[in-house]
């Protein structure tokens, strides 16, 4: 909350510098250059973008990702001689003023913050607007002072002012509609109102700030829960919307995703493309009916943060060299396995991205197409028109491909066509849902692929999991470590831990990396597969031939201070128990 400090000085009459100081201060670009926060080429690039898109230079620099928003605001605060209000400077309760004009406040992105001795302090996203202070003074007939604040903080306060009254909220539940069409039209009207739009936009902004991969909107009888999956772990939002707004909020998302808001009994899938603060967001929306209304999950893909290099996939040096050598083979199947959300598809994209797509023909069959790769022909599966994985594969074999990527082997028909493709001289990359690399071989047998075809076509299987990385800002080494876990196959492990800080939102973790096990089908493994041995036996043979398990690869990342022992144990509990026996 804003206290005495700057505002008291303004009340005492020492704020004239605010009006006179702006003209004498150097320009924003010059200040950033002087602080070496940007280069001259960055300024030139931003000015070109500003000429095309319009807007203020600071906004353009943030949208281009050249400077962090907080740095822009701090520099502007110095340039304009105005205070910069952070999130904690705003009161939890809104400031009630007579004759408050919400339309004017929203149009100018300005909100009242403090009222003392007949003078009002307003927070604005563009306080340098020469007409803003004069207009506010005329509207409120008070002496007005301005401060600088983030758009997101201002929008949050505005959303609180624009909350509909209780009668309007109850109306949705109590009013009897003449027909479904009338109810749908009412939902459309509510979904198009300012408060609901602000709430949904806040979901997207918060997800982007947290680096979330998914947004969950779950209605219950007494509340509407909003949760975000960050680094693989779900956390509940601190500020959940009113449950009475749930139908309007869900309808707003469905409208953005081009879904049928009149259909509330069946699951639906859609897609939203957004641009927020210079980030291009691709959201895949899934809606399912529950007893309390529709539950929504939005999976986010931030195209600006995509890194598709094999060196960014968390491979150890040992695994990276072997995996790259497997990609150089002219034919055969390379499988990536793991549970849902373990980064299998991203690893395949990184593999494709490392290949020479200029001198080879690369075709993919996916559901959905997550990333668009240059030089790669990507096919979207359309089951509603019978364009299945199997049917698409039959067609692309006549396209003279060198490399084929199959999003997922879901059935025996797809698996058999993939095997035949590998046997006829194609390199095939695909994913399979199994817990271990050895389990993929048993799964292929269950799909009806003969063992002799597996040994003839399958080159290797990469199994992986995602673990959270320790926050580098608060990571410290730990002296004590369980003796039984500290030594695995004669490898000493030094454990680290993070206590939590502002950078990691108090979780102790920031970002994720992968741990791997790579099973190359050769030697005694071929004999074991032909003999029809089970997954446990194949796994043991692979270890004897030098395969590092997921657990052991995870321990190496613990020793390097990348992740914690708890994270490795969380995703490899079954293998950890086997290693200790």
């Amino acid at each position: 909350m804003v206290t005495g400090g700057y505002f008291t000085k303004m009340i005492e009459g020492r704020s004239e510098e605010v009006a006179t100081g702006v003209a004498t201060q150097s320009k924003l670009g010059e200040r950033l250059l002087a602080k070496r926060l940007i280069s001259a080429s960055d300024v030139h690039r931003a000015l070109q973008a500003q000429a095309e898109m319009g807007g203020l230079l600071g906004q353009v620099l943030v949208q281009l990702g050249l400077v962090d928003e907080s740095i822009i605001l701090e520099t502007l605060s110095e340039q304009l001689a105005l205070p910069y209000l952070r999130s904690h400077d705003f009161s939890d309760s809104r400031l009630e003023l007579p004759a408050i004009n919400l339309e004017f406040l929203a149009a100018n992105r300005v909100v009242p913050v403090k009222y003392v001795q007949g003078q009002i302090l307003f927070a604005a996203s563009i306080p340098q607007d020469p007409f803003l202070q004069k207009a506010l003074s005329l509207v409120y007939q008070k002496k007005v002072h301005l401060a600088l604040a983030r758009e997101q903080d201002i929008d949050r306060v505005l959303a609180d002012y624009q909350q509909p009254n209780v009668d309007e909220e109850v109306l949705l539940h109590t009013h009897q509609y003449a027909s479904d069409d009338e109810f749908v039209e009412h939902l459309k009207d509510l979904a198009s109102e300012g408060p609901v739009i602000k709430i949904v936009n806040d979901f997207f902004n918060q997800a982007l700030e947290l680096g979330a991969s998914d947004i969950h909107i779950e209605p219950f009888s007494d509340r509407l829960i909003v949760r975000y999956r960050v680094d693989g772990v779900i956390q509940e939002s601190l500020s959940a919307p009113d449950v009475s707004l749930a139908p309007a909020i869900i309808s707003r998302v469905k409208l953005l995703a081009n879904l049928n808001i009149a259909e509330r009994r069946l699951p639906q899938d859609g897609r939203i493309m957004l641009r927020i603060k210079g980030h291009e967001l691709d959201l895949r929306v899934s809606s399912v009916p529950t007893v309390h209304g529709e539950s929504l999950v939005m999976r986010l893909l931030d195209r600006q943060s995509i890194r598709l290099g094999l060196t960014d996939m968390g491979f150890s040096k040992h695994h990276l060299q072997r995996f790259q050598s497997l990609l150089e083979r002219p034919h055969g199947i390379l499988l990536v396995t793991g549970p849902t959300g373990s980064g299998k598809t991203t690893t395949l994209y990184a593999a494709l991205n490392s290949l020479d797509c200029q001198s080879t023909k690369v075709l993919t069959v996916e559901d959905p197409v997550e990333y668009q790769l240059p030089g790669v022909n990507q096919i979207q599966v359309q089951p509603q028109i019978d364009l299945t994985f199997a049917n698409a594969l039959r067609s692309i074999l006549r396209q003279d491909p060198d490399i084929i990527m199959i999003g997922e082997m879901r059935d025996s028909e797809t698996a058999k066509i993939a095997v035949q493709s590998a046997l006829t001289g194609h390199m095939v990359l695909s994913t399979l849902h199994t817990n271990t690399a050895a389990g993929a071989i048993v799964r292929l047998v269950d799909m009806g692929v003969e063992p002799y075809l597996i040994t003839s076509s399958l080159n290797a299987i990469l199994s992986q999991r995602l673990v959270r990385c320790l926050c580098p800002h608060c990571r410290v080494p730990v002296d004590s470590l369980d003796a039984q876990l500290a030594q695995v196959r004669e490898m000493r492990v030094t454990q680290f831990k993070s206590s939590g800080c502002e950078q990691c939102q108090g979780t102790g973790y920031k970002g994720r990396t992968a741990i791997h096990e790579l099973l190359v089908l050769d030697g005694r493994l071929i004999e074991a597969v032909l003999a029809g041995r089970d997954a446990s036996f194949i796994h043991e043979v692979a270890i004897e031939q030098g395969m590092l398990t997921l657990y052991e690869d995870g321990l190496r990342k613990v020793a390097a201070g990348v992740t914690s022992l708890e994270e490795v144990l969380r995703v490899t509990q079954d293998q950890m128990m086997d290693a200790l026996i």
Side-chain angles (χ1 to χ4, degrees):
M1 180 66 184
V2 176
T3 56
Y6 194 93
F7 190 49
T8 303
K9 291 179 181 179
M10 290 192 291
I11 292 175
E12 292 172 353
R14 294 200 291 268
S15 64
E16 288 79 5
E17 61 188 58
V18 174
T20 61
V22 177
T24 61
Q25 299 296 332
S26 61
K27 294 182 179 179
L28 176 63
E30 294 173 357
R31 281 179 168 265
L32 294 172
L33 279 170
K35 292 182 177 182
R36 297 185 178 180
L37 297 171
I38 57 174
S39 63
S41 60
D42 291 335
V43 176
H44 180 68
R45 179 183 168 194
L47 290 173
Q48 285 184 321
Q50 184 184 29
E52 295 176 5
M53 300 184 302
L56 298 174
L57 179 62
Q59 294 172 335
V60 174
L61 287 167
V62 173
Q63 289 171 355
L64 293 176
L66 298 174
V67 185
D68 188 74
E69 184 184 21
S70 60
I71 294 175
I72 292 290
L73 293 174
E74 288 170 1
T75 308
L76 270 177
S77 175
E78 296 173 4
Q79 176 187 340
L80 302 174
L82 291 175
Y84 166 32
L85 304 183
R86 275 77 169 178
S87 300
H88 61 267
D89 291 321
F90 290 85
S91 172
D92 293 333
S93 58
R94 64 189 186 188
L95 183 63
E96 298 291 349
L97 293 174
I100 193 164
N101 189 319
L102 294 180
E103 291 184 4
F104 176 82
L105 296 182
N108 291 277
R109 274 218 164 90
V110 57
V111 291
V113 177
K114 192 173 182 65
Y115 180 57
V116 175
Q117 299 177 16
Q119 301 186 41
I120 313 172
L121 175 65
F122 283 86
S125 61
I126 310 178
Q128 62 267 44
D129 184 339
F131 302 104
L132 185 57
Q133 188 167 15
K134 185 180 294 185
L136 288 169
S137 299
L138 290 173
V139 169
Y140 294 101
Q141 296 296 306
K142 306 286 184 185
K143 188 169 184 179
V144 167
H145 306 278
L146 293 177
L148 185 65
R150 291 193 313 163
E151 288 186 1
Q152 184 179 349
D153 291 329
I154 292 171
D155 288 344
R156 175 171 52 82
V157 178
L158 283 172
D160 185 38
Y161 275 107
Q162 294 170 332
Q163 287 291 343
N165 60 47
V166 176
D167 293 337
E168 291 174 343
E169 294 174 357
V170 174
L171 182 63
L172 182 63
H173 299 278
T174 59
H175 183 68
Q176 298 297 317
Y177 297 95
S179 65
D180 284 346
D181 289 342
E182 184 183 343
F183 179 72
V184 169
E185 287 302 316
H186 185 64
L187 273 181
K188 285 183 179 179
D189 291 340
L190 286 176
S192 301
E193 290 180 355
V196 174
I197 293 173
K198 292 290 184 186
I199 290 171
V200 173
N201 287 344
D202 283 346
F203 294 160
F204 300 143
N205 284 320
Q206 189 169 356
L208 187 61
E209 282 196 352
L210 293 173
S213 60
D214 301 85
I215 306 173
H216 296 249
I217 304 175
E218 303 163 338
F220 292 91
S221 59
D222 57 342
R223 58 180 178 151
L224 179 66
I225 296 178
V226 180
R227 303 195 292 172
Y228 301 89
R229 186 179 293 277
V230 181
D231 294 334
V233 178
I234 289 183
Q235 60 186 50
E236 189 169 333
S237 173
L238 296 177
S239 56
D242 195 311
V243 67
S244 61
L245 293 175
I249 291 170
I250 290 167
S251 296
R252 173 65 184 169
V253 176
K254 290 175 71 175
L255 285 172
L256 290 173
N258 293 317
L259 299 180
N260 181 6
I261 67 171
E263 180 55 76
R264 303 182 297 279
R265 301 165 300 169
L266 296 173
Q268 294 185 70
D269 296 304
R271 193 169 188 171
I272 302 173
M273 301 292 290
L274 291 174
R275 184 174 180 85
I276 300 177
K277 296 181 179 178
H279 294 257
E280 290 185 4
L281 296 185
D282 183 354
L283 297 90
R284 285 193 296 278
V285 181
S286 173
S287 167
V288 295
T290 70
V291 293
H292 297 296
E294 291 175 279
S295 175
L296 290 177
V297 175
M298 291 175 276
R299 171 152 291 185
L300 282 77
L301 177 65
D302 183 358
R303 297 192 176 277
Q304 185 169 313
S305 63
I306 295 172
R307 294 184 300 173
L308 293 179
L310 282 177
T311 54
D312 299 320
M313 296 297 110
F315 283 105
S316 64
K317 185 178 180 180
H318 168 77
H319 280 142
L320 181 60
Q321 290 175 346
R322 298 199 73 186
F323 191 71
Q324 287 175 326
S325 67
L326 289 165
L327 291 173
E328 293 171 1
R329 296 187 181 184
H331 54 78
I333 298 176
L334 179 56
L335 286 177
V336 181
T337 71
T340 300
S342 59
K344 301 185 298 296
T345 304
T346 305
T347 298
L348 283 187
Y349 276 118
L352 288 178
N353 206 37
S354 70
L355 298 173
D356 181 9
C357 297
Q358 299 299 320
S359 58
T360 56
K361 176 81 168 183
V362 183
L363 281 161
T364 74
V365 184
E366 308 170 58
D367 184 24
V369 174
E370 295 190 9
Y371 309 113
Q372 295 182 16
L373 299 176
V376 178
N377 297 275
Q378 298 173 266
I379 300 171
Q380 169 72 54
V381 170
Q382 304 282 353
Q384 64 272 21
I385 57 173
D386 204 30
L387 182 60
T388 61
F389 277 105
N391 290 338
L393 276 173
R394 291 193 192 93
S395 299
I396 67 174
L397 288 174
R398 296 190 288 272
Q399 291 281 312
D400 188 29
D402 297 297
I403 301 168
I404 301 169
M405 195 269 269
I406 306 169
E408 181 185 346
M409 285 190 186
R410 295 181 178 176
D411 51 55
S412 59
E413 191 175 8
T414 303
K416 290 176 181 177
I417 296 174
V419 168
Q420 291 299 323
S421 301
L423 292 174
T424 53
H426 302 91
M427 167 62 78
V428 179
L429 309 177
S430 187
T431 69
L432 199 61
H433 283 280
T434 59
N435 290 327
T436 63
I441 295 173
V442 178
R443 175 69 177 135
L444 288 174
V445 173
D446 290 341
M447 285 182 168
V449 181
E450 296 293 338
Y452 73 90
L453 291 176
I454 294 175
T455 57
S456 302
S457 61
L458 185 61
N459 290 340
I461 305 162
L462 178 75
S463 181
Q464 72 176 51
R465 300 287 191 279
L466 292 179
V467 294
R468 292 181 292 172
C469 297
L470 289 171
C471 175
H473 301 279
C474 57
R475 181 187 68 179
V476 293
V478 179
D479 294 331
S480 60
L481 183 65
D482 190 286
Q484 195 175 22
L485 293 175
Q487 211 165 9
V488 176
R489 291 169 71 177
E490 301 179 353
M491 181 188 69
R492 295 294 300 176
V493 177
T494 301
Q495 190 180 5
F496 290 76
K497 74 173 184 178
S498 297
S499 56
C501 63
E502 290 184 3
Q503 297 290 332
C504 60
Q505 308 288 327
T507 63
Y509 297 95
K510 191 173 182 65
R512 287 191 291 178
T513 190
I515 57 175
H516 305 91
E517 65 180 23
L518 183 59
L519 186 154
V520 180
L521 206 62
D522 56 14
R524 289 180 55 207
L525 283 171
I526 293 178
E527 297 175 6
V529 174
L530 290 174
R533 304 305 295 263
D534 61 19
S536 297
F537 185 86
I538 294 172
H539 185 73
E540 290 300 322
V541 172
I543 292 175
E544 291 173 9
Q545 293 191 178
M547 182 186 79
L548 290 176
T549 65
L550 288 167
Y551 176 60
E552 291 170 325
D553 189 43
L555 286 181
R556 280 160 172 75
K557 288 183 169 61
V558 172
V562 175
T563 188
S564 67
L565 187 60
E566 290 78 13
E567 270 296 289
V568 174
L569 298 181
R570 181 175 67 87
V571 299
T572 63
Q573 283 187 350
D574 51 345
Q575 291 200 353
M576 183 271 293
M577 293 303 297
D578 292 341
L580 295 177
I581 294 175

